[in-house]
Amino acid sequence: MKFSATSRSVQGSSASRRLRHAGRVPAIVYGGEATPQNIELDHNDIYHALRKEQFHSSILDLEIDGKGQQVLLRSVQWHAYKQQVLHVDFQRVAANQALTTKVPLHFINEESSPAVKLNAAIVSHIMTELEVSCLPKNLPQFIEVDLGQLIVGEPVHLSQIKLPVGVTYVAHGSDADPLLASAVIPDQTDEADEDGAGEAAAPEA
């Protein structure tokens, strides 16, 4: 994705407030051999960009004062109760240096799985994103998890899916094979109790 910004020379909370009142968003670009650079963005443009999943998990083409560079979105600060972006951080990306970031998971075919079709089970997505490491050219916009063979009592772990070429999972602690999804048959005990109570109460009514 491509978007543009302009350099920002004035800093401080007062300057940031003036920018926001003018419909602009203060931001910063850091990383690499260059020094951190303060920039400003159009609020409406960045607000709508942030609503797109790929903006959070793709290498972005940022143009600052006509000069392009590749960056990765690192953090966003939102207003406590308004739909307003307060500040954005971007990290520069070098083609020959591995990066670490989170990539969303896309679950497919769960409606056609045996767990759902045969047992009317409820599928739970235990994880919605994975932290991965890869070179910028190998960064996927998302990772697909096929639940077409999901069975009740046999949850899907990371080891059961194939990661894209050049992409490795960044494990934290001892969880090298995290649980991604599982299927559980709904407990019908409570529903049966409610139906029985209703039937018992009917003659009195």
Side-chain angles (χ1 to χ4, degrees):
M1 293 183 65
K2 186 176 182 179
F3 67 110
S4 60
T6 55
S7 57
R8 173 170 57 98
S9 57
V10 182
Q11 303 179 42
S13 57
S14 298
S16 295
R17 282 195 297 270
R18 288 195 295 270
L19 275 178
R20 296 182 187 113
H21 288 155
R24 309 288 288 176
V25 178
I28 188 170
V29 181
Y30 62 85
E33 298 179 357
T35 57
Q37 182 177 7
N38 292 297
I39 60 174
E40 59 181 83
L41 309 162
D42 178 81
H43 182 272
N44 288 340
D45 289 346
I46 192 64
Y47 174 82
H48 289 294
L50 288 168
R51 295 172 65 89
K52 300 177 181 178
E53 182 185 72
Q54 66 186 90
F55 194 80
H56 294 258
S57 57
S58 302
I59 302 300
L60 307 172
D61 294 314
L62 171 61
E63 186 177 275
I64 304 175
D65 299 332
K67 297 181 179 180
Q69 57 185 295
Q70 290 192 316
V71 299
L72 193 66
L73 175 66
R74 278 309 188 190
S75 67
V76 182
Q77 181 183 353
W78 291 87
H79 192 280
Y81 55 88
K82 296 179 182 179
Q83 292 295 309
Q84 181 182 9
V85 185
L86 299 181
H87 195 275
V88 188
D89 289 6
F90 298 98
Q91 180 182 353
R92 297 185 185 95
V93 171
N96 60 348
Q97 293 181 357
L99 53 87
T100 299
T101 189
K102 292 181 179 180
V103 175
L105 298 177
H106 284 189
F107 296 90
I108 63 170
N109 297 329
E110 64 181 62
E111 294 300 325
S112 60
S113 68
V116 175
K117 292 189 70 174
L118 302 180
N119 302 107
I122 295 177
V123 178
S124 297
H125 301 160
I126 311 302
M127 298 184 69
T128 58
E129 59 186 12
L130 279 182
E131 188 168 5
V132 301
S133 177
C134 62
L135 290 175
K137 67 178 182 178
N138 295 326
L139 180 64
Q141 291 185 9
F142 59 87
I143 295 173
E144 199 168 77
V145 181
D146 190 347
L147 299 180
Q149 303 302 315
L150 181 63
I151 299 174
V152 174
E154 296 185 11
V156 176
H157 288 262
L158 176 62
S159 58
Q160 296 170 253
I161 70 170
K162 186 176 181 179
L163 294 178
V165 176
V167 177
T168 58
Y169 168 62
V170 179
H172 294 280
S174 59
D175 194 9
D177 189 20
L179 178 64
L180 304 183
S182 64
V184 178
I185 297 177
D187 186 0
Q188 298 179 346
T189 304
D190 293 339
E191 295 180 6
D193 290 344
E194 290 178 2
D195 291 342
E199 293 174 0
E204 295 182 6

